[in-house]
Amino acid sequence: MHRKKKNIFKPISLFLFILLFTTIVIVFKPAPKNDYVISHRGASGEEIEHTFKAYDLAIDYGTKYIEQDLVTSKSGTLYISHDENAKRITGVDKNYSDMNDKEIDKLRTSDHQPILKLEDVFKKYGDSTYYAIELKEKDNSRAIKPFENLVKKYDLKDKIIVQARNKEALGTLEINFPNMQKLILVNTEDELNEALKHDYIDIIGANSKLMNKNNIKKTHENNKEFNVWTLNSSDEIKKAIDLNIDSYFTNYTAKALLLEDNYR
């Protein structure tokens, strides 16, 4: 009786097809929508900026990154504030650098929330989220060492984008954290072009007026990412998506994530 030979190539071909398809899916899998969105001072369009309420809301929306601006107290402790003066948020017209920790700890926002230390935020969230942390003061020298110490203490070096206007501060951090992403904030074309020369800078954080195809192209040609601040309107965010920029800051996390989901 003649038996038909089993075709062993069919299962092998099927296996190779599945392997190839899986590889293609992995390689070309789109980035999660929250890779592009950095919650500017938390969900600051809806809650008071740099408070646990603002951070919690942004995280609940699905953000990947929450932002902190750092100022240094008279005692040398890192607090989180966009302004070097406490008046806008707390009503007290004093610079943080002129207050000791006890004075700052007594301050409250209009809805009775405290001014947070960076360590408060690290303790609460740990490695459950990512951080975009700006060295805010004109003189960053006092902030660098306590920042490095806290990052090491909580082992968060792989969870942070560190940002500054001062490229020297970023260069200093390159020594101890060579793999931490470094973002330089630029306001002008000349500042952007200067930033492109430095290998330790990974991300150009550009004023939104610099958001155009040419600047994105030359940033990418220099092996850096192009970031923009701060995009809040739907039209601005849609433009960023259309230009395929790498990331942007926004006060409206939920809106940005929805637009990313619909248009990216």
Side-chain angles (χ1 to χ4, degrees):
M1 181 177 175
H2 178 72
R3 291 187 179 180
K4 187 177 180 181
K5 290 184 178 179
K6 186 176 181 182
N7 188 348
I8 63 170
F9 294 102
K10 283 186 178 180
I12 293 175
S13 298
L14 180 61
F15 171 76
L16 290 174
F17 173 78
I18 293 170
L19 181 62
L20 178 61
F21 178 78
T22 303
T23 303
I24 291 172
V25 168
I26 292 172
V27 171
F28 293 102
K29 183 180 179 181
K33 61 184 178 180
N34 63 3
D35 275 4
Y36 305 100
V37 177
I38 299 176
S39 294
H40 187 237
R41 312 179 202 173
S44 57
E46 299 166 85
E47 297 288 351
I48 293 178
E49 64 191 54
H50 290 319
T51 60
F52 281 142
K53 284 184 180 180
Y55 294 145
D56 286 346
L57 184 58
I59 290 168
D60 286 345
Y61 281 144
T63 197
K64 183 172 180 177
Y65 295 94
I66 51 175
E67 187 205 25
Q68 293 76 43
D69 295 307
L70 300 186
V71 294
T72 312
S73 73
K74 189 176 182 179
S75 311
T77 302
L78 295 178
Y79 282 83
I80 300 172
S81 171
H82 175 268
D83 304 345
E84 294 187 34
N85 187 285
K87 185 174 182 180
R88 181 174 64 88
I89 296 297
T90 70
V92 176
D93 189 9
K94 292 187 73 172
N95 289 339
Y96 289 99
S97 59
D98 293 329
M99 291 185 278
N100 60 39
D101 291 2
K102 287 184 178 180
E103 291 177 280
I104 298 174
D105 289 344
K106 291 177 183 177
L107 298 176
R108 290 296 181 270
T109 66
S110 60
D111 62 349
H112 311 293
Q113 297 183 79
I115 302 301
L116 299 174
K117 299 181 182 74
L118 180 61
E119 186 160 20
D120 295 332
V121 174
F122 283 175
K123 279 182 179 178
K124 180 176 174 67
Y125 301 111
D127 64 359
S128 67
T129 190
Y130 286 78
Y131 307 89
I133 301 176
E134 180 179 351
L135 304 179
K136 194 72 187 177
E137 296 163 319
K138 291 177 183 177
D139 179 8
N140 300 136
S141 59
R142 292 183 67 222
I144 288 175
K145 194 62 181 177
F147 171 73
E148 290 182 336
N149 290 341
L150 283 174
V151 171
K152 290 175 182 176
K153 178 179 178 179
Y154 290 91
D155 193 21
L156 292 171
K157 62 183 182 299
D158 297 326
K159 292 281 187 172
I160 293 171
I161 297 172
V162 63
Q163 47 176 329
R165 295 186 184 278
N166 182 343
K167 64 180 183 292
E168 286 75 20
L170 297 178
T172 300
L173 289 169
E174 177 75 1
I175 297 170
N176 286 328
F177 300 121
N179 296 321
M180 183 183 290
Q181 286 193 298
K182 297 169 187 69
L183 181 155
I184 190 162
L185 296 158
V186 299
N187 268 308
T188 67
E189 197 86 26
D190 287 343
E191 289 176 353
L192 190 157
N193 292 333
E194 172 62 26
L196 293 177
K197 300 175 184 177
H198 301 281
D199 290 341
Y200 59 83
I201 292 171
D202 305 293
I203 306 169
I204 303 297
N207 186 306
S208 60
K209 67 186 179 184
L210 299 174
M211 184 172 66
N212 59 58
K213 287 183 179 179
N214 182 59
N215 285 336
I216 296 167
K217 182 174 183 289
K218 66 184 177 184
T219 298
H220 288 166
E221 287 173 348
N222 282 272
N223 299 314
K224 302 184 191 304
E225 294 183 8
F226 192 85
N227 166 278
V228 178
W229 45 272
T230 300
L231 307 182
N232 289 324
S233 74
S234 295
D235 287 343
E236 288 176 319
I237 294 170
K238 286 179 182 178
K239 179 182 177 182
I241 293 170
D242 185 56
L243 289 169
N244 199 31
I245 69 167
D246 299 292
S247 62
Y248 54 91
F249 290 85
T250 182
N251 296 340
Y252 296 97
T253 301
K255 178 199 290 187
L257 291 175
L258 180 63
L259 292 172
E260 285 290 337
D261 204 28
N262 290 336
Y263 294 99
R264 177 77 66 168

